[in-house]
Amino acid sequence: MERRLAAILDADMVGYSRLMAADEVGTISRLKALRDGVIDPKLGQFGGRIVKTTGDGLLVEFASVVDAVQCAVELQQAIRGQEVGQPEKTRIRYRIGINLSDIVADGDDILGDGVNIAARLQALAEPGGLCVSASVFDQVRGRLDVPFVDAGDRQVKNIERPIRVWRWRPEPKADPGDPRIESSRTFSDEPAIAVLPFTNMSGDPEQEYFSDGLTEDIITALTHWRSFAVIARNSCFAYKNAAVNIKQAARDLGARYLLEGSVRKESAQVRVSAQLIDGTSGHHLWAERYDFELVDIFAIQDEIVQQIAAIVAPELARAELQRSSGKQNKDLNAWDLCLRGMALLRKRTPEDNAAARELFTRAIDIRPDYSDAHAGLAMSHNMDNLLGAEADREQTANRAMAAARRAIECDDASSWAHHELSTAYQWLDRIEDALAEAKIAVELNPNDAYALHALGNKSDLAGDPRGIAFMERAQKLNPTDARLHSHLTFLARAYLHAGNYRDALDRARQAIRRRPDYAPAYFVAALALAQLDQPDAARAMLRKCEELSPGLTQARWNWKPYVDPLSNQRLLEGLRRIE
């Protein structure tokens, strides 16, 4: 045996099992093309010696640590460029870890703690990214133009001492589809969430692929929410088939929240249970059970993932707001200020909008590049227009548009920022631009019920009948949304527009049950009842609407929500008949 100093590069393919299960032949073919055309030539260029391969992974030795890091960065960029034409869900990505250490050579193999540490660093890297040890960083600092972020000391499995980790990730604007995990942010800023491997309760080892695939897809789906960080898959899967101490796992992973669950598949039935847990206290914050008939296993998996991702994000924000409420005003950071600003916006009053604007402005003073703060500012202006709080609608919309564009400059993968820009365009009667931005918002986060509803509403206003399907999907994704009463009223109007008066009445009544004091729902219900030849019931609804909001029924004679003037006329036909 021989000892020598070496730079060890450990690379692992993300979601290998899932990709193979979905398309074995295609995945193998693309992987082989990457190896032949990109990976092996790049390793050769920088003097890397492949020690071993594992199908989805590589262990490589370099004599120069500078060459190892430069090779890793160029390799990730090249793979990314090669896969850019692939749908996000099927892209091949690698995680890479590099350590500089004394190793033991045993023939062609290499052994020792230095190799194990490289593997642990790889597990901490994000898809398409790179993590290096302090020994590597010290050697390449000032020699390479590679922007590393200090991720702090990390305790990793089977390594006694904590490891100082430095992280590099590709520029986010180049590919907004790249999943994110925690970077240099700490618990004083946005929180992180870890998804522990879902337990296979079926008693059939062959069903492991379903529970593993479900876990991986939930991790990917949660990364679309830009307000919190998501711990990498490999770090989470270190807890597979292990008895987990929640608080210890949260500390080890650097996550404030943990999502865990189980899968039980029997015959043609599948039951999935999920729980969101506060990692600091161990308290359960949310739990849900999903039962499905197993027809198409991948369709069922997608459905479960979408529903969990759509609900977990708002639940996490709710828990964070409660945590923030105990802080003194002087201790609030940008994240806290945004949480409080959003809570005020949900009250939907001009006074609360103004107070929210002050909080978002304070957050921007602390972090000028904080996209969510700029998006919140844009939303406050859009909300003012919705409530009629400003006399100059155009000027207010332009303020919203400027704030939304600044949010996109800070993070062009923010679904929220694109949604607010879409709404600003809508107030300016630029419906095509509004639709284009709404589509981008949904593409960036298909599990955001709010963005999906907005796309549906704007599609309907433009005369696209698919708007109803988008809005119905939004209701299904988040049936407990605090804004559901207004969303149901928009949906009722869309059904009214489509001539489906019974469904319009049903959705309006659902909105009234949710918020008995919401006047617009009574007005839309009156329109539907008038079309269904129930004039007395329609008049009763109009009286209730006027009681809740004096002048609203009269103002609605000038109601022109649709692009098509004939659509606006048809909307009020029933009302004219009973007046």
Side-chain angles (χ1 to χ4, degrees), residues 184-384:
S184 59
R185 298 177 298 188
T186 66
F187 282 174
S188 63
D189 213 338
E190 302 100 312
I193 183 172
V195 183
L196 299 181
F198 275 46
T199 304
N200 173 25
M201 304 288 287
S202 304
D204 179 4
E206 292 298 319
Q207 302 306 324
E208 286 292 321
Y209 75 91
F210 184 81
S211 56
D212 287 353
L214 185 64
T215 306
E216 290 182 358
D217 283 352
I218 290 172
I219 291 171
T220 301
L222 287 175
T223 60
H224 291 291
W225 296 88
R226 309 293 283 183
S227 299
F228 52 85
V230 182
I231 303 301
R233 180 261 188 207
N234 279 17
S235 296
C236 298
F237 268 74
Y239 293 87
K240 184 173 172 62
N241 298 325
V244 178
N245 179 303
I246 292 297
K247 293 183 181 180
Q248 185 62 48
R251 284 193 294 270
D252 291 346
L253 291 168
R256 187 179 291 166
Y257 298 94
L258 298 179
L259 182 70
E260 65 172 7
S262 63
V263 178
R264 185 181 298 276
K265 182 173 171 287
E266 294 180 0
S267 186
Q269 300 283 333
V270 61
R271 169 172 289 180
V272 175
S273 299
Q275 304 89 35
L276 181 65
I277 304 169
D278 185 327
T280 57
S281 67
H283 294 158
H284 282 65
L285 303 172
W286 165 86
E288 189 59 81
R289 187 177 70 192
Y290 303 89
D291 292 306
F292 290 94
E293 292 282 340
L294 194 57
V295 180
D296 180 339
I297 192 168
F298 290 110
I300 293 300
Q301 186 167 312
D302 286 346
E303 185 73 16
I304 295 169
V305 166
Q306 289 164 8
Q307 291 194 30
I308 290 175
I311 292 173
V312 164
E315 289 293 336
L316 187 150
R318 189 176 294 114
E320 281 293 287
L321 180 60
Q322 187 174 0
R323 180 189 296 272
S324 173
S325 64
K327 288 187 176 182
Q328 297 295 318
N329 189 55
K330 62 182 178 62
D331 297 325
L332 298 180
N333 57 31
W335 167 248
D336 294 315
L337 291 164
C338 277
L339 283 175
R340 295 188 178 194
M342 282 300 299
L344 287 171
L345 288 181
R346 283 192 285 269
K347 295 182 179 181
R348 296 192 167 210
T349 70
E351 297 74 22
D352 288 310
N353 284 353
R357 248 190 313 276
E358 291 183 13
L359 295 176
F360 292 128
T361 301
R362 283 175 58 191
I364 291 168
D365 289 340
I366 296 171
R367 282 177 53 185
D369 62 347
Y370 192 12
S371 177
D372 281 3
H374 293 284
L377 198 60
M379 187 174 180
S380 73
H381 293 302
N382 282 326
M383 188 71 71
D384 273 350

Side-chain angles (χ1 to χ4, degrees), residues 21 53 91 105 123 128 131 135 139 151 154 161 183 189 286 355 377 382 433 506 526 528 546 562:
T53 64
R91 290 180 190 175
C131 280
S135 59
Q139 291 297 316
R154 303 299 298 272
R161 65 190 185 282
S183 57
D189 213 338
W286 165 86
L377 198 60
N382 282 326
D433 290 329
D506 176 70
E546 189 66 19
Y562 287 95

